[in-house]
Amino acid sequence: MTAQEFPLERYRNIGIIAHIDAGKTTTTERILFYTGRTYRLGNIDEGTTVTDWMEQERERGITIMSAAVTTFWKDHKINIIDTPGHIDFTAEVQRSLRVLDGGIVVFDAVQGVEPQSETVWRQANRYAVPRICFANKMDRVGASYSRTLESIKAQLGANPLAMQVPIGAEESFCGVVDLLTERAIYFEGELGSKPREEEIPAELLTIAEEQRAILVEQIAELDDEVMMKYLEGETLTLAELKMALRKGVLQNKVTPVFCGSSLRNKGVQPLLDAVVDYLPSPLDVPDVTGIHAKTGDMITCPPDDAAPMTALVFKIVTDNYVGRLAYVRVYSGKMKKNDTYLNATQGKKERVARLLRMYADHREDMDELKAGDIGAILGLKQSFTGDTLCDPSKQVLLEAISFPHPVISVAIEPKTAADQDRMGIALQKLAEEDPTFSIRQDAETGQMIISGMGELHLEILVDRMLREFKVQANVGNPRVAYNETITRSVPEVEYRFIKQTGGHGQFAHVVLRLDPLESGAGVVFEDRVSGGAIPREFIPAVEKGILEAAESGVLAGYPMTDLKVTLLDGSFHEVDSSELAFRMAGIFAFRQGVNQGKPILLEPIMKVEVVVPEAHTGDVLGHINLRHGNVLGMDLRQGNAQAIHAEVPLAEMFGYATELRSATRGRGVFTMEFERYAPVSEAVMKKVVGL
């Protein structure tokens, strides 16, 4: 069966998501090997993996960019996206989950649920992505399937179902008991390519029967008809159990949990069977809805090849060989090579020069992408992440993808004049690829400031500039990306912009109201002008001026956020009023209003988890307090280790890795992710603002 002949119910668009170092990429490599997509096993330590194809990924042994691969298993077509686990690259996970139908969440069976596991789980909840789980590294000392199940339930609030019983523990782990089929599966030989099924070992028979009884009852509760048969004492068939379980997974009521060791080639084939049996096809998820680009009416986009084409651009990549690639998920209709479509987000037409099926960094030409397909387009000039491509006859706008704001900045400058032009091009291309990477010029120093999600994030981007774009640059020390906001409402601020020159003058008059908003709201503009006090064509100019002024606050030049600006009133001159005049009036009125609104500085607060041997707990708690952190709690981890949960200002976390290594003799590890913005202390305010 060729790729073209697969009916839509046999498509699976899945993501592999997890905390860093849980084994996502190794699991993906095993899936590709067992499905016949590769003929040798890739190894992270050797830098031979398919999906970690960037030089930076192979050097560091981590995933940085989500990679898309297409493979086939049991007459099903599976599109897989291997996503990063490091919090600095959370945008890659966010945009992947937006276009996927299902997910495999990988857990380290020694550690259980880790901080980034919680983050990706919340992201998957947000997009209602059905999931199955894989407790990996069952061969490691301290691995526990039951404890992993408990932590999934307790820390993620999920409803995990134990689908297997492990055979052997730690180094003696050699297979699993499948509770539904009541068979033992052994994975022997170096590659584990041919699982061997046998009767359940006598020593596991009792526990397997107990676990199966619990599982059957949990599954029966998912379907009324199956529940009735179960209560009447009838024997439920394997087909009935699988049908009810699939229904529960699709409704996000339960999460089946499997176990294995990807590195030791054990447990991956049953996981693939579960992808086919329980995760959704594009037909199983609700039809995607959008709004009409002009009327605002709700439009449904069914997964039907005959419907008008609708697709979402979820990623832009600069490829050294073919140029600018746009990754897309087609929701409705067919996208064909050489056809022209409307970018409804930008209001511009785009021609599809080439269509590609991606295999990590390798490419395969296609004539068309069908509903449910994930592929890449060459030739798009003005399309960016989150844009909707559609048939011009059905102008639909899909929900865009939202991304977190950058929290850390560094100043960057080219080493030579020749690097100057190349750096501008490189930064622009990198910013197009990564929505959490931003560039701005410091108004006072004239320096170029780049901002991202963490020190590693910026380090990778600077490294890519050097290797891919051949730009030599000097990079300053990391700086916190502070924000500014107001703390009280300003009921009315009035500004008249009047300029008299030789010819026509410039006149604009605006009246604004400013109100503080809750954290994370950004800058909101509302027009309440009535009676034509300001002509309609000038209102966008006022908004543009306000948003422009909000890019640089009045205290220290940091971006303004969390406030609402309402345009109440104003006046104009028949001859002298212009868009420029109203834009300038918006800028000056906004700045005037902010000064009256008791502006304050906001800093990023990070959620930090430190895992340390119990003997070092006191030292680590002391260091967190010295860094003005707030300890939220502690819990016991495997191997007599303590996990300390805290909130710490980002400014206090620079250099912490070295301090932690020193204090714990190299045995402590920590992870941190952005939590929220909060007002800074008086001392920090004076230091940053320079008072």
Side-chain angles (χ1 to χ4, degrees):
M1 183 178 278
T2 65
Q4 305 300 324
E5 295 168 353
F6 281 85
L8 206 51
E9 62 267 19
R10 291 198 199 163
Y11 275 55
R12 298 290 183 272
N13 291 317
I14 64 166
I16 299 186
I17 53 180
H19 184 90
I20 190 169
D21 206 29
K24 295 176 307 303
T25 300
T26 305
T27 303
T28 307
E29 290 296 321
R30 298 310 182 262
I31 287 172
L32 296 179
F33 179 76
Y34 295 132
T35 56
R37 205 65 168 91
T38 55
Y39 299 99
R40 66 183 291 264
L41 289 172
N43 186 293
I44 288 175
D45 295 332
E46 294 170 11
T48 56
T49 57
V50 171
T51 53
D52 281 357
W53 52 270
M54 290 172 65
E55 288 178 54
Q56 293 88 344
E57 292 177 312
R58 290 183 169 172
E59 286 171 1
R60 291 169 171 80
I62 62 170
T63 303
I64 292 167
M65 292 181 76
S66 51
V69 290
T70 301
T71 191
F72 307 93
W73 181 256
K74 293 191 173 176
D75 283 343
H76 283 69
K77 175 179 176 180
I78 305 176
N79 292 316
I80 304 171
I81 295 184
D82 173 30
T83 62
H86 199 286
I87 188 63
D88 283 14
F89 308 104
T90 185
E92 289 290 322
V93 184
Q94 192 99 321
R95 57 175 156 203
S96 300
L97 285 169
R98 171 69 171 80
V99 297
L100 293 171
D101 301 324
I104 299 174
V105 187
V106 182
F107 296 95
D108 181 333
V110 179
Q111 301 294 341
V113 174
E114 298 176 89
Q116 186 63 6
S117 313
E118 294 185 44
T119 304
V120 296
W121 194 271
R122 283 199 309 270
Q123 289 171 328
N125 281 344
R126 183 179 167 204
Y127 294 116
V129 176
R131 278 145 274 178
I132 58 178
C133 295
F134 184 56
N136 191 24
K137 304 189 180 183
M138 286 295 295
D139 60 311
R140 298 274 291 274
V141 175
S144 169
Y145 182 53
S146 59
R147 197 175 59 246
T148 301
L149 285 158
E150 286 166 17
S151 66
I152 291 171
K153 189 170 187 175
Q155 290 176 247
L156 302 178
N159 187 9
L161 302 189
M163 301 298 294
Q164 298 169 332
V165 170
I167 301 174
E170 299 178 350
E171 281 201 5
S172 62
F173 173 74
C174 59
V176 295
V177 173
D178 186 309
L179 293 176
L180 285 188
T181 61
E182 296 180 276
R183 299 286 288 170
I185 308 170
Y186 293 92
F187 305 90
E188 292 172 344
E190 192 182 333
L191 302 178
S193 299
K194 293 179 180 173
R196 176 171 55 85
E197 285 194 22
E198 284 190 7
E199 296 292 324
I200 299 173
E203 67 271 17
L204 289 177
L205 205 52
T206 305
I207 189 169
E209 286 174 354
E210 289 172 1
Q211 290 295 316
R212 189 178 195 275
I214 294 168
L215 178 63
V216 169
E217 184 179 347
Q218 289 173 316
I219 292 174
E221 292 173 359
L222 301 170
D223 183 90
D224 291 342
E225 285 182 32
V226 174
M227 189 64 179
M228 288 302 293
K229 286 187 75 172
Y230 175 77
L231 292 173
E232 287 166 9
E234 293 185 43
T235 303
L236 297 172
T237 66
L238 182 62
E240 286 173 328
L241 288 168
K242 283 189 170 183
M243 178 276 295
L245 179 53
R246 179 177 175 79
K247 185 177 177 182
V249 173
L250 297 185
Q251 293 173 348
N252 271 311
K253 289 182 178 176
V254 291
T255 311
V257 184
F258 300 82
C259 66
S261 169
S262 296
L263 189 63
R264 302 282 171 249
N265 311 314
K266 292 174 172 56
V268 176
Q269 292 94 331
L271 187 67
L272 272 166
D273 291 340
V275 168
V276 166
D277 290 340
Y278 308 123
L279 289 182
S281 76
L283 295 173
D284 294 318
V285 294
D287 290 351
V288 169
T289 57
I291 58 169
H292 193 284
K294 291 185 177 173
T295 64
D297 296 336
M298 190 68 77
I299 295 178
T300 301
C301 305
D304 182 353
D305 289 347
M309 204 289 297
T310 308
L312 184 76
V313 177
F314 68 94
K315 181 171 173 168
I316 299 291
V317 174
T318 303
D319 188 292
N320 287 338
Y321 299 102
V322 293
R324 191 174 188 266
L325 277 172
Y327 280 74
V328 292
R329 160 76 191 262
V330 179
Y331 286 104
S332 277
K334 291 181 182 178
M335 178 179 282
K336 295 181 179 177
K337 189 169 75 172
N338 295 325
D339 277 7
T340 299
Y341 299 100
L342 175 71
N343 180 326
T345 312
Q346 309 289 343
K348 293 171 182 173
K349 291 195 172 178
E350 291 271 46
R351 181 176 168 274
V352 175
R354 277 172 72 189
L355 283 174
L356 305 168
R357 177 182 289 133
M358 299 304 294
Y359 181 54
D361 61 334
H362 302 295
R363 297 158 289 280
E364 184 184 319
D365 272 289
M366 306 284 292
D367 289 325
E368 63 181 21
L369 294 176
K370 296 182 176 182
D373 265 333
I374 290 175
I377 308 173
L378 269 176
L380 301 189
K381 301 280 194 298
Q382 301 170 95
S383 295
F384 302 93
T385 299
D387 285 2
T388 305
L389 296 174
C390 63
D391 191 307
S393 67
K394 186 179 181 181
Q395 297 188 21
V396 61
L397 266 174
L398 301 176
E399 182 194 351
I401 311 170
S402 60
F403 295 103
H405 293 294
V407 295
I408 188 168
S409 305
V410 294
I412 185 167
E413 56 185 35
K415 283 190 175 177
T416 67
D419 289 319
Q420 178 82 47
D421 294 336
R422 285 202 298 269
M423 189 171 92
I425 294 166
L427 289 174
Q428 183 191 344
K429 288 183 175 178
L430 291 170
E432 281 182 12
E433 284 187 20
D434 187 346
T436 59
F437 172 60
S438 68
I439 313 152
R440 67 181 177 89
Q441 197 150 16
D442 190 298
E444 291 180 14
T445 64
Q447 281 182 309
M448 190 70 76
I449 307 293
I450 58 172
S451 304
M453 297 305 297
E455 290 178 82
L456 179 63
H457 186 201
L458 293 179
E459 183 189 321
I460 297 287
L461 288 164
V462 171
D463 193 34
R464 287 187 62 196
M465 278 174 53
L466 174 62
R467 295 194 194 188
E468 293 173 34
F469 301 99
K470 306 293 184 279
V471 177
Q472 299 276 353
N474 294 317
V475 182
N477 292 325
R479 298 191 299 187
V480 176
Y482 293 101
N483 276 179
E484 297 181 25
T485 192
I486 57 172
T487 54
R488 68 180 180 196
S489 293
V490 182
E492 190 175 292
V493 54
E494 190 171 0
Y495 190 86
R496 281 182 170 79
F497 181 78
I498 304 170
K499 287 276 185 196
Q500 286 301 327
T501 55
H504 284 314
Q506 295 283 0
F507 178 86
H509 169 216
V510 296
V511 181
L512 306 180
R513 174 187 172 89
L514 277 68
D515 295 289
L517 294 177
E518 70 280 357
S519 179
V523 179
V524 178
F525 174 80
E526 185 182 348
D527 166 30
R528 281 210 195 153
V529 174
S530 58
I534 299 175
R536 305 308 310 162
E537 64 265 26
F538 293 142
I539 303 249
V542 179
E543 182 180 5
K544 188 177 178 184
I546 288 166
L547 294 178
E548 189 180 314
E551 290 175 8
S552 177
V554 298
L555 291 173
Y558 290 104
M560 298 292 303
T561 189
D562 304 340
L563 76 161
K564 180 180 179 181
V565 184
T566 309
L567 180 58
L568 300 173
D569 200 2
S571 62
F572 71 103
H573 188 278
E574 291 283 356
V575 178
D576 290 350
S577 286
S578 65
E579 286 189 12
L580 173 65
F582 275 99
R583 184 169 70 86
M584 297 306 293
I587 290 172
F588 289 119
F590 178 80
R591 286 182 184 158
Q592 197 171 300
V594 167
N595 276 314
Q596 295 172 26
K598 277 195 90 173
I600 58 165
L601 210 56
L602 301 172
E603 65 180 341
I605 303 295
M606 310 304 283
K607 186 165 77 174
V608 178
E609 183 186 84
V610 191
V611 180
V612 294
E614 199 163 25
H616 300 289
T617 306
D619 290 342
V620 171
L621 286 171
H623 291 157
I624 289 172
N625 287 326
L626 282 172
R627 289 174 179 266
H628 304 108
N630 177 26
V631 176
L632 304 174
M634 294 165 59
D635 58 66
L636 199 60
R637 285 285 168 89
Q638 175 64 27
N640 206 23
Q642 286 282 355
I644 301 165
H645 306 278
E647 288 183 346
V648 189
L650 175 62
E652 301 287 346
M653 289 302 292
F654 295 139
Y656 183 63
T658 308
E659 181 182 277
L660 181 65
R661 274 197 299 269
S662 172
T664 62
R665 296 176 189 169
R667 295 170 66 198
V669 293
F670 81 99
T671 55
M672 70 174 181
E673 61 178 293
F674 172 70
E675 178 71 8
R676 67 183 192 282
Y677 270 95
V680 301
S681 66
E682 198 68 39
V684 173
M685 179 87 141
K686 286 178 180 175
K687 184 179 169 186
V688 175
V689 179
L691 295 174

